Amino acid sequence: MKPIFLIGYMGCGKSTMGRALSAFINKELIDLDHFIEARYHRSVKEIFAEYGEDEFRKIERNMLHEVAEFEDVIIACGGGTPCYFDNIEYMNEKGMTVFLNASLEALMRRLSTAKAKSKRPIIADKNNDELAQFITEALEKRMPYYSKAKLVFDSGYLEDNIQIHNSVEALSKMLTEE
Ligand code: S3P
C-alpha cells in the first residue's frame, strides 16, 4: 500500500484520526513532527526557536521525502506541511492524501487549551480572540493547498471514543472505495 497522508490545520485531528486509523486498518502511523523531533533530538518548538521557521520548513520537506518512501504507512503531517514548496503535489504523486476538514468552532475548541498552545510555537502567545482571527486568516491562505488533497473528510466529530470510531470507520470505507 502506498502511504496515506493526513493533512489539515492544527487541531483538525490528524494525530487522533491517525492513531485510530492505524489501529483500524492495522498500518503503522508516522507522525511527521515526531519523526523530525527524533531525528534532530529537539522539539518542534526548539527547532523553531533555534533555526527559525524557514529552516524548519526545509527540514520538514526533507523528512517528508524520507517517510514518503515507506510502504504501508499512514503519515500524520504537520499543519503547514502541504503549504510549502511543492509538498502537496509531491504527496499526491506518492500516495493518497486526505484533508481533515474541521470548522473554526471545532478548531478553536481544540486549540484554545494551554496544552494545545504549549506544543505549537505559532499560536503559543495568542489569546482566544487573537487565535480565532489567526486561524481564520491562516485557513484562507492554506485552503488552496489543503483542497488539492484527493479526499476531503469532515473531522469535526472527534470528541469521544464513539465519534472517533465512527469517523474512522467512515474514512476507512472512503479509502477502500478509492
Ligand atoms: C504547524 C503545525 C504543527 C507543527 C508546527 C507548525 C503549522 O503541527 O508542524 O508547529 O504551521 O500549522 P500540528 O498541525 O500537528 O500541530
Side-chain angles (χ1 to χ4, degrees):
M1 183 196 86
K2 287 183 170 181
I4 298 169
F5 299 95
L6 302 180
I7 68 168
Y9 198 66
M10 292 181 276
C12 72
K14 300 181 294 288
S15 304
T16 303
M17 283 296 282
R19 273 194 299 273
L21 185 65
S22 162
F24 196 76
I25 65 172
N26 200 23
K27 303 285 176 203
E28 189 189 345
L29 172 70
I30 297 176
D31 183 301
L32 188 58
D33 281 342
H34 294 165
F35 193 82
I36 295 169
E37 290 176 336
R39 179 66 58 85
Y40 282 80
H41 301 283
R42 283 173 180 77
S43 66
V44 167
K45 196 173 162 183
E46 287 165 347
I47 297 175
F48 264 72
E50 269 185 53
Y51 303 117
E53 182 170 354
D54 287 355
E55 192 55 31
F56 172 77
R57 296 303 172 193
K58 288 184 200 157
I59 293 170
E60 183 180 45
R61 175 187 54 183
N62 294 343
M63 298 294 103
L64 174 67
H65 282 233
E66 276 195 35
V67 298
E69 294 301 331
F70 300 155
E71 287 197 2
D72 290 323
V73 290
I74 300 159
I75 300 166
C77 295
T81 313
C83 313
Y84 294 85
F85 310 104
D86 61 349
N87 290 349
I88 183 62
E89 285 81 11
Y90 175 78
M91 288 189 268
N92 277 334
E93 263 168 44
K94 285 291 184 180
M96 173 52 79
T97 45
V98 182
F99 168 34
L100 299 178
N101 194 18
S103 64
L104 176 64
E105 290 68 32
L107 296 176
M108 274 301 287
R109 207 165 49 235
R110 297 170 191 167
L111 292 175
S112 56
T113 66
K115 190 173 170 221
K117 285 183 187 170
S118 74
K119 290 193 290 192
R120 297 175 169 97
I122 289 184
I123 56 165
D125 56 357
K126 304 209 181 309
N127 68 34
N128 284 354
D129 285 348
E130 290 166 343
L131 183 62
Q133 179 71 17
F134 183 80
I135 297 175
T136 307
E137 287 170 12
L139 283 179
E140 234 175 74
K141 285 191 218 135
R142 290 184 171 187
M143 213 43 108
Y145 300 93
Y146 293 151
S147 57
K148 287 187 185 165
K150 293 179 186 172
L151 279 182
V152 179
F153 185 80
D154 180 355
S155 60
Y157 306 94
L158 305 174
E159 308 317 314
D160 57 43
N161 286 337
I162 294 173
Q163 288 190 0
I164 294 170
H165 177 81
N166 290 343
S167 294
V168 140
E169 205 168 47
L171 175 58
S172 156
K173 192 158 174 277
M174 279 169 79
L175 286 166
T176 53
E177 282 164 1
E178 270 302 302

